[in-house]
Amino acid sequence: MKKKLNVFCVLMLVLKAAQVIIGNVMSFGENAAAFRQGWEDGRQATGMPSFWGGFLEMMIGLAAIFLIIRALIAFVRFILNVNRDRVFVWDNVPLLRWTGWGMLASTAIIFVYDLFNHVSAEKIYNETMDDFIFSVFCLITAEVFVIGLKLKEEQDLTI
């Protein structure tokens, strides 16, 4: 049973890392020339965004990055606990909750940011849906752990 759980956790981690890497590489490769052109056009345009608008965008991006990194660290710590035979302990519940809520909050930030920047609904769906599913899965798993730990404590108290 531990081997299956380890395989699933490592598989999920590898798939998420591959998605992030491939998505960023493809995005940067395709849009590099368009970015330079847009930068030059924007510099020459009269309607430059204000300093505060750019600052707000930067802060939103940093918040999303912080939440993703925090969720990834919590997930790695959960995997390490499982590998140390500490599967059904109360320490894993906050780690799974951090992973779930961190990914959910970063997904919501990205969703709202794209929505206000008039990104197409198809692109928003492609970018955020699997992160949303993963975050909900982590939250469900955390709750299953809570129920299992409560049942374990009740069983330990019975004669």
Side-chain angles (χ1 to χ4, degrees):
M1 185 158 117
K2 180 183 167 190
K3 287 183 182 180
K4 278 186 183 178
L5 188 59
N6 281 339
V7 168
F8 288 141
C9 288
V10 169
L11 180 64
M12 175 120 17
L13 184 65
V14 168
L15 288 174
K16 291 303 296 175
Q19 177 191 18
V20 168
I21 290 170
I22 290 171
N24 286 332
V25 167
M26 292 177 82
S27 174
F28 289 132
E30 293 174 359
N31 295 328
F35 176 77
R36 279 190 218 100
Q37 180 65 34
W39 182 267
E40 292 300 321
D41 292 346
R43 212 170 57 175
Q44 296 170 0
T46 58
M48 286 289 291
S50 68
F51 168 78
W52 293 110
F55 181 74
L56 181 63
E57 284 185 24
M58 181 185 72
M59 295 307 291
I60 289 171
L62 287 175
I65 289 170
F66 171 76
L67 289 169
I68 290 170
I69 290 172
R70 179 66 173 104
L72 184 63
I73 289 170
F75 189 67
V76 168
R77 286 181 57 201
F78 168 72
I79 292 172
L80 291 175
N81 278 348
V82 169
N83 286 330
R84 293 181 189 130
D85 291 331
R86 298 184 67 223
V87 180
F88 295 106
V89 293
W90 284 105
D91 293 341
N92 286 338
V93 174
L95 294 175
L96 285 170
R97 285 182 177 160
W98 261 108
T99 302
W101 287 114
M103 290 297 295
L104 188 65
S106 66
T107 302
I109 288 171
I110 292 168
F111 176 81
V112 170
Y113 178 77
D114 285 347
L115 194 63
F116 283 119
N117 284 323
H118 307 292
V119 177
S120 70
E122 180 182 356
K123 186 174 179 184
I124 292 174
Y125 174 81
N126 289 337
E127 287 180 355
T128 59
M129 186 50 70
D130 44 348
D131 291 338
F132 175 72
I133 291 170
F134 175 70
S135 62
V136 171
F137 175 75
C138 286
L139 292 173
I140 291 170
T141 305
E143 294 309 310
V144 169
F145 268 60
V146 168
I147 293 169
L149 287 167
K150 286 180 182 177
L151 289 172
K152 180 182 171 190
E153 286 178 353
E154 287 179 12
Q155 183 184 15
D156 290 343
L157 294 175
T158 58
I159 297 177

